[in-house]
Amino acid sequence: MEKVLVLCGGYPQLALIQEFKRRGLFVYLADMNAQAVAVPYADKFLPISAMDVEAVKNAVKEEGINYVITAHADQALMVAAKVSDELGLPCYIDCKTAIDVSNKAYMKQVFKEGGVPTSNFIICRKLDMESIKSLRYPLIVKPVDSYSSRGVRRVDNDEELKTAFDNAVRISKDGSAVIEEFVGGKEVSVDVYVENGKAYVLGTCDINKLPEPGKFIICRGKYPAVLSDDEYNQIVDVANRIAQAFNLVDTPMMIQLKVWNGKVYVLEFCARNGGGIKFTFIKKVSGFDSVKAVADLTLGEKPHVDYKPYPKFICNEFLYCNPGVLDHVENFDKLLADGIVFEYYVYRNKGHIFGDVTCSADRIGCLCFEGDTWEEVAEKRQKGLRFVKVLDTNGNDILKRLPAEFGR
């Protein structure tokens, strides 16, 4: 029996474990969290960090594992590619490419050389105020190798820039940061599959952020994104330019971009589909099973895109908490039973300590609404957010209540 090691124990990896088990493989799971949702589904749980290359390599050798992979997870994919490369195991993405697409500095440079529209930028390890003169405020500062919006800040003057830059390089493993001009307009998340070098758009979402100054933390995705035909065609062109520039042949891909005054500007991308609940979202809105595709690629098979657009409107509402110690959640099951949501996710267990919200990984969960019109979606969302509770150990509801406004 062949053996596969899945890195990280979230919901997408749970689905990947189930996919491999259906195919008769013995499945290991690597995660430091013994309470991770995917743990009970693996044949054997390994309490090691999915980010620790040496620990993963040792486990592969000791257990005689044939494949190492993850799904819908950026940094863990880089570990899978590195371990696979060093041990001569198959992986759908090679180590160099996995590293390249995880580094925002390299990414921005390739965008520039490959004709991918993006904002003006500089990359530096030390803040050179002379070089900043070529850029115009407001600016965005981000570590070159972070994820989940960690360390990403908008700044409007030199003083804010210095503080944000120091924070970004402290977070960065590489010790450097990207400083780029802020692009206005709306943000759109695009999930793609590249088949034989051609990019197919699987779904688009308008992205909303938490109303906290300077931060870029996603609180909502709305499908489909409102785009003109020309804007959509630009996105398809950009996806193909990225695939060509990075020599991507058969791979999932996610692009974050801005649409401003009818023009598309790419913020960044990665060689995997979106995290969190995107694995179910993509299948629902396109008919393409992104988790099955990762399993296919891992085992040397070629997935095929047969796009089937979904006729309804969807809102994925990401939930965050005020500081407190989690005791339990209430009424999530009832929302599902009453048809207010078509699915929901809770990511944290009893005893989890919530502090300030600093990145999208700090969310407690997600509610998924759908309807035949946006008015129906808005009504369900309003009911759902009024009804659910997240209670701390003192009996207080610590769920962040965002403004009721819900526009397109």
Side-chain angles (χ1 to χ4, degrees):
M1 178 184 291
E2 289 195 306
K3 302 175 181 179
V4 59
L5 173 58
V6 173
L7 304 182
C8 299
Y11 284 104
Q13 293 80 37
L14 187 163
L16 184 60
I17 289 170
Q18 292 176 320
E19 182 66 34
F20 280 128
K21 290 181 75 171
R22 279 194 291 270
R23 301 181 189 211
L25 279 75
F26 189 94
V27 186
Y28 294 79
L29 171 64
D31 198 300
M32 285 294 289
N33 179 13
Q35 292 184 308
V37 67
V39 170
Y41 297 84
D43 293 304
K44 185 172 181 179
F45 173 60
L46 303 177
I48 60 174
S49 171
M51 302 297 111
D52 187 334
V53 172
E54 290 305 314
V56 172
K57 280 173 59 178
N58 290 337
V60 170
K61 293 175 183 177
E62 290 172 5
E63 300 288 342
I65 291 169
N66 307 98
Y67 309 97
V68 182
I69 196 61
T70 191
H72 295 256
D74 201 13
Q75 298 297 306
L77 178 60
M78 185 165 58
V79 173
K82 186 173 180 60
V83 170
S84 298
D85 182 69
E86 293 184 6
L87 298 182
L89 304 180
C91 187
Y92 77 83
I93 185 169
D94 65 85
C95 183
K96 181 181 183 305
T97 301
I99 293 171
D100 289 345
V101 302
S102 298
N103 186 288
K104 296 177 177 65
Y106 180 81
M107 185 185 303
K108 293 285 283 188
Q109 194 60 43
V110 174
F111 285 170
K112 185 176 180 180
E113 295 169 357
V116 176
T118 192
S119 57
N120 295 324
F121 67 95
I122 63 168
I123 300 156
C124 49
R125 294 179 182 275
K126 292 185 178 180
L127 187 58
D128 180 1
M129 298 306 295
E130 189 64 30
S131 64
I132 298 301
K133 291 181 179 179
S134 64
L135 304 178
R136 292 184 297 178
Y137 285 107
L139 300 172
I140 302 297
V141 182
K142 60 180 73 172
V144 298
D145 47 13
S146 68
Y147 55 99
S148 297
S149 301
R150 287 183 174 88
V152 181
R153 293 291 183 271
R154 168 180 164 154
V155 299
D156 295 295
N157 54 56
D158 290 355
E159 184 176 348
E160 291 178 355
L161 172 61
K162 292 174 183 176
T163 300
F165 180 82
D166 288 344
N167 183 57
V169 296
R170 184 169 61 251
I171 292 173
S172 171
K173 296 175 184 177
D174 182 70
S176 56
V178 176
I179 303 172
E180 62 185 1
E181 291 182 344
F182 173 78
V183 177
K186 67 176 182 177
E187 185 169 338
V188 178
S189 173
V190 183
D191 281 287
V192 174
Y193 186 76
V194 180
E195 181 180 351
N196 293 325
K198 181 179 179 180
Y200 294 87
V201 173
L202 304 174
T204 62
C205 282
D206 285 327
I207 297 300
N208 294 160
K209 302 293 180 72
L210 285 178
E212 298 187 8
K215 295 182 180 179
F216 294 86
I217 302 171
I218 297 172
C219 67
R220 188 178 304 117
K222 296 179 290 188
Y223 166 89
V226 178
L227 300 164
S228 69
D229 289 344
D230 180 62
E231 289 165 348
Y232 183 84
N233 290 335
Q234 287 182 57
I235 289 173
V236 173
D237 178 66
V238 157
N240 279 289
R241 285 176 181 266
I242 292 172
Q244 183 176 14
F246 286 86
N247 299 311
L248 303 177
V249 180
D250 291 285
T251 180
M253 184 164 71
M254 184 188 73
I255 307 171
Q256 292 174 270
L257 53 84
K258 284 287 195 76
V259 179
W260 186 37
N261 293 332
K263 300 294 183 183
V264 167
Y265 298 85
V266 177
L267 301 175
E268 56 191 66
F269 91 103
C270 48
R272 49 98 175 166
N273 289 129
I277 64 162
K278 277 292 188 75
F279 72 106
T280 59
F281 166 81
I282 292 169
K283 188 174 181 179
K284 189 178 187 73
V285 303
S286 70
F288 183 78
D289 190 333
S290 58
V291 170
K292 180 180 180 297
V294 170
D296 286 343
L297 290 168
T298 302
L299 301 178
E301 302 170 17
K302 292 285 189 177
H304 174 63
V305 176
D306 183 14
Y307 180 69
K308 299 172 183 176
Y310 193 62
K312 294 192 176 186
F313 300 92
I314 294 175
C315 170
N316 295 319
E317 187 82 12
F318 304 112
L319 308 177
Y320 297 87
C321 290
N322 294 308
V325 179
L326 176 63
D327 188 77
H328 68 282
V329 300
E330 290 184 355
N331 299 327
F332 284 69
D333 284 338
K334 184 166 176 51
L335 289 186
L336 186 62
D338 291 347
I340 303 301
V341 300
F342 64 86
E343 62 185 4
Y344 73 83
Y345 295 86
V346 176
Y347 301 127
R348 303 298 179 188
N349 299 308
K350 182 175 181 176
H352 181 82
I353 301 173
F354 290 103
D356 292 334
V357 178
T358 60
C359 67
S360 59
D362 291 331
R363 63 184 64 149
I364 169 71
C366 179
L367 299 175
C368 305
F369 308 94
E370 73 173 355
D372 294 319
T373 65
W374 275 114
E375 290 73 20
E376 181 184 353
V377 174
E379 183 179 354
K380 287 181 176 180
R381 173 183 172 272
Q382 190 173 21
K383 287 180 181 178
L385 293 178
R386 278 203 311 261
F387 201 49
V388 294
K389 294 181 179 180
V390 179
L391 299 180
D392 68 7
T393 50
N394 296 316
N396 300 312
D397 184 4
I398 58 174
L399 181 65
K400 278 183 174 286
R401 306 284 176 179
L402 299 183
E405 293 82 6
F406 180 73
R408 286 296 289 158

